[in-house]
Amino acid sequence: MEKRIINPWQWQDERSYNQGVEVKHFESTLYCAGQAAVHPDGTSSDADMRTQLLLAMHNLEQVVGQAGYELKNIVRLNVYTTNHPEFFSVFDTFTEWIAKNEIKQVSTVFEVKTLFETLSVELEATLVK
């Protein structure tokens, strides 16, 4: 697989995403449903934003791993949150996870009115290999 990052500017670098990602010569694509702070027994977390974000990232890691992919092959990672200011107050947790896993993706952050039950953040990813 060949991945090329397209960034006409540099300001997005501080926000842990890219303007474009071109992928050539890949063998498969994985589309992940939104992963949120849902516990293994299926109950939704009612914890604070940082705790929910950590669990959502963990759940995404589990789906990616079970599918035989690597996090560094995420090419699109969208974030849905019910509280934009609260999400950005814990953005460091998100950007550290992006850097640690060498993820080079395009992203969009959406503020939505509600997510399922008590959830406040959800991560939707597309990967290639």
Side-chain angles (χ1 to χ4, degrees):
M1 174 191 59
E2 182 183 330
K3 188 157 75 169
R4 182 173 70 110
I5 305 302
I6 297 96
N7 284 324
W9 313 282
Q10 294 179 341
W11 55 261
Q12 72 281 326
D13 298 347
E14 295 177 18
R15 296 178 175 106
S16 296
Y17 79 98
N18 295 288
Q19 299 297 333
V21 176
E22 178 184 42
V23 180
K24 295 181 181 180
H25 313 291
F26 63 95
E27 68 180 62
S28 57
T29 305
L30 175 65
Y31 300 93
C32 296
Q35 298 301 306
V38 178
H39 299 287
D41 67 359
T43 58
S44 298
S45 173
D46 61 358
D48 61 83
M49 180 67 76
R50 188 177 310 273
T51 303
Q52 285 203 27
L53 179 58
L54 289 167
L55 183 52
M57 292 185 299
H58 172 75
N59 289 345
L60 181 57
E61 290 170 3
Q62 288 201 296
V63 172
V64 169
Q66 187 168 341
Y69 283 71
E70 296 179 73
L71 292 173
K72 70 180 182 180
N73 290 332
I74 292 175
V75 293
R76 175 176 292 282
L77 181 59
N78 289 332
V79 178
Y80 299 86
T81 180
T82 58
N83 189 322
H84 190 265
E86 192 175 340
F87 173 73
F88 281 104
S89 76
V90 299
F91 196 62
D92 61 318
T93 300
F94 183 72
T95 59
E96 288 167 12
W97 181 78
I98 294 290
K100 178 182 85 170
N101 291 291
E102 301 175 9
I103 301 170
K104 306 288 186 198
Q105 85 296 347
V106 295
S107 289
T108 302
V109 177
F110 301 90
E111 182 171 292
V112 295
K113 184 176 178 180
T114 60
L115 292 169
F116 186 69
E117 297 180 336
T118 56
L119 300 173
S120 60
V121 65
E122 190 168 310
L123 307 174
E124 176 187 58
T126 304
L127 296 86
V128 295
K129 70 173 175 178

